[in-house]
């Protein structure tokens, strides 16, 4: 089963659509069954409950899946995508303004918030130490793609981890504009703040780009460039709409309502029809 650790602003929404398109109702965008707060992560107990609803589960994804929790059962194939950290962080700030309606948000205040710092390293390793993230990557044999080399990364993912993946896609959730992010990167003062807040991410990204990702390229072999060219020639047909519909029906009518019921029960409100047991 594929386990996608979705890090914000690293082409993850497109990857999730690829999973939905490939597996339909065998894919689930998961959430913790209880504890919807910012610190809640998807756990082994949560996965056991998901499997009751998805007995043929092929892949899971979600912002609450992290690399360092207790999902340890055999057969899990972890993967994630990284992106150049300064561009990622600047893009996240622009997203807050454009899509979250936070027009009054001040960059100098936002960049100082703890949850903004080294988000890629923390999502994988649970700390701001890139060595912890690298240990998780090695221990889990986690596939790490690069958003800047998206097509090549997807070809590698299919060949090395998921031969049944349907790579046909169109980009999803692409930012309508990036002018503010570019201004933050170009201005020496704001760029220095971005660098200070992403020192661990910069080191993690460097080591993945220079060591981890080249190992994947070598594992594929010398025909990689040819395979990527062939994919680009025929791989932009779009998503499997039938599978997207099957995914959506099960997600909306079964998974999400049951998560809401479970959270209501955990909060002490009377609930009928929850799954029962833990």
């Amino acid at each position: 089963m594929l386990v996608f650790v979705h890090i914000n602003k690293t082409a993850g929404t497109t990857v999730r659509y690829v999973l939905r398109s490939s597996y339909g109702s065998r894919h689930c965008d998961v959430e913790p069954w209880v504890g919807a707060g910012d610190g809640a992560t998807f756990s082994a107990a949560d996965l056991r409950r998901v499997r009751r609803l998805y007995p043929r589960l092929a892949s899971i994804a979600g912002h609450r899946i992290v690399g360092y929790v207790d999902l340890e059962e055999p057969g899990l194939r972890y993967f994630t995508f990284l992106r150049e950290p300064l561009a990622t962080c600047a893009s996240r700030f622009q997203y807050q303004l454009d899509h979250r309606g936070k027009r009054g948000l001040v960059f100098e205040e936002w960049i100082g918030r703890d949850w903004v710092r080294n988000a890629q390293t923390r999502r994988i390793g649970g700390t701001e130490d890139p060595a912890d993230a690298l240990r998780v990557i090695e221990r889990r044999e986690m596939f790490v793609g690069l958003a800047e080399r998206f097509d090549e990364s997807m070809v590698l993912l299919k060949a090395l981890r998921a031969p049944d993946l349907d790579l046909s896609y169109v980009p999803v959730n692409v930012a309508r504009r990036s002018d503010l992010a570019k201004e933050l990167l170009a201005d020496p003062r704001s760029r220095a703040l971005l660098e200070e807040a992403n020192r661990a991410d910069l080191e993690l990204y460097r080591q993945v780009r220079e060591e981890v990702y080249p190992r994947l390229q070598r594992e594929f072999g010398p025909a990689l460039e040819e395979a990527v060219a062939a994919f680009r020639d025929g791989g932009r047909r779009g998503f499997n709409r039938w599978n997207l519909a099957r995914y959506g029906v099960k997600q909306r009518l079964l998974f999400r309502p049951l998560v809401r019921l479970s959270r209501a029960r955990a909060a002490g409100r009377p609930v009928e029809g929850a799954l029962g047991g833990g």
Side-chain angles (χ1 to χ4, degrees):
M1 185 183 75
L2 291 169
V3 179
F4 177 43
V5 180
H6 182 176
I7 300 172
N8 290 332
K9 307 309 293 179
T10 62
T13 301
T14 299
V15 174
R16 286 167 80 157
Y17 267 78
V18 169
L19 295 174
R20 297 167 186 173
S21 176
S22 295
Y23 303 120
S25 59
R26 298 171 61 212
H27 171 77
C28 185
D29 284 338
V30 297
E31 302 174 32
W33 284 83
V34 295
D38 289 341
T41 59
F42 187 78
S43 68
D46 294 322
L47 179 57
R48 288 193 293 271
R49 301 187 78 169
V50 171
R51 285 194 183 279
R52 300 180 195 178
L53 306 178
Y54 294 78
R56 298 176 59 245
L57 191 64
S59 63
I60 59 174
H63 287 300
R64 300 305 180 91
I65 298 176
V66 294
Y68 57 87
V69 293
D70 61 342
L71 298 180
E72 299 283 359
E73 65 181 63
L76 298 184
R77 293 168 289 166
Y78 277 82
F79 77 103
T80 192
F81 274 72
L82 298 185
R83 180 184 172 195
E84 195 285 317
L86 303 189
T88 304
C89 195
S91 180
R92 290 174 67 198
F93 180 72
Q94 176 139 17
Y95 181 85
Q96 295 291 315
L97 272 61
D98 290 350
H99 298 279
R100 295 292 179 87
K102 299 180 181 180
R103 290 291 179 179
L105 193 62
V106 177
F107 173 74
E108 289 77 8
E109 296 175 359
W110 177 83
I111 196 68
R113 296 175 182 176
D114 183 66
W115 62 270
V116 173
R117 301 178 58 87
N118 298 309
Q120 299 183 74
T121 301
R122 295 169 73 171
R123 183 63 60 87
I124 295 172
T127 73
E128 291 192 57
D129 186 344
D132 290 336
L134 288 166
R135 277 192 287 270
V136 169
I137 290 170
E138 295 300 323
R139 177 169 60 84
R140 295 199 185 278
E141 298 182 349
M142 182 182 292
F143 177 97
V144 185
L146 299 177
E148 295 84 356
R149 303 181 70 94
F150 186 79
D151 284 354
E152 181 181 87
S153 296
M154 293 302 289
V155 169
L156 288 169
L157 176 64
K158 179 178 175 68
L160 303 179
R161 297 292 190 277
D164 58 346
L165 203 62
D166 180 357
L167 295 186
S168 299
Y169 82 94
V170 290
V172 179
N173 198 29
V174 178
R176 292 191 298 270
R177 66 188 188 102
S178 59
D179 54 325
L180 177 56
K182 291 177 179 177
E183 290 174 11
L184 292 173
L185 292 167
D187 179 77
R189 183 171 179 273
S190 57
R191 188 179 182 90
L193 292 174
L194 287 167
E195 290 175 351
E196 194 281 327
N198 289 279
R199 294 194 187 281
D201 275 7
L202 286 165
E203 177 60 18
L204 175 64
Y205 182 79
R206 182 190 69 78
Q207 293 199 47
V208 167
R209 190 186 67 241
E210 295 180 2
E211 300 176 18
V212 177
Y213 191 78
R215 287 205 303 266
L216 298 172
Q217 293 173 309
R218 290 192 296 270
E219 187 178 348
F220 185 97
L224 179 57
E225 185 175 346
E226 181 181 342
V228 174
F231 164 62
R232 287 174 174 162
D233 286 342
R236 298 295 178 86
R237 300 185 305 275
F239 299 113
N240 182 320
R241 294 186 178 277
W242 171 241
N243 274 349
L244 291 182
R246 293 171 64 198
Y247 150 81
V249 167
K250 192 161 188 177
Q251 193 84 11
R252 289 192 300 271
L253 300 185
L254 184 63
F255 177 75
R256 290 176 186 167
L258 288 175
V259 169
R260 287 196 295 268
L261 289 173
S262 179
R263 290 175 178 174
R265 185 174 60 183
R269 299 191 296 272
V271 171
E272 299 294 331
L275 288 179

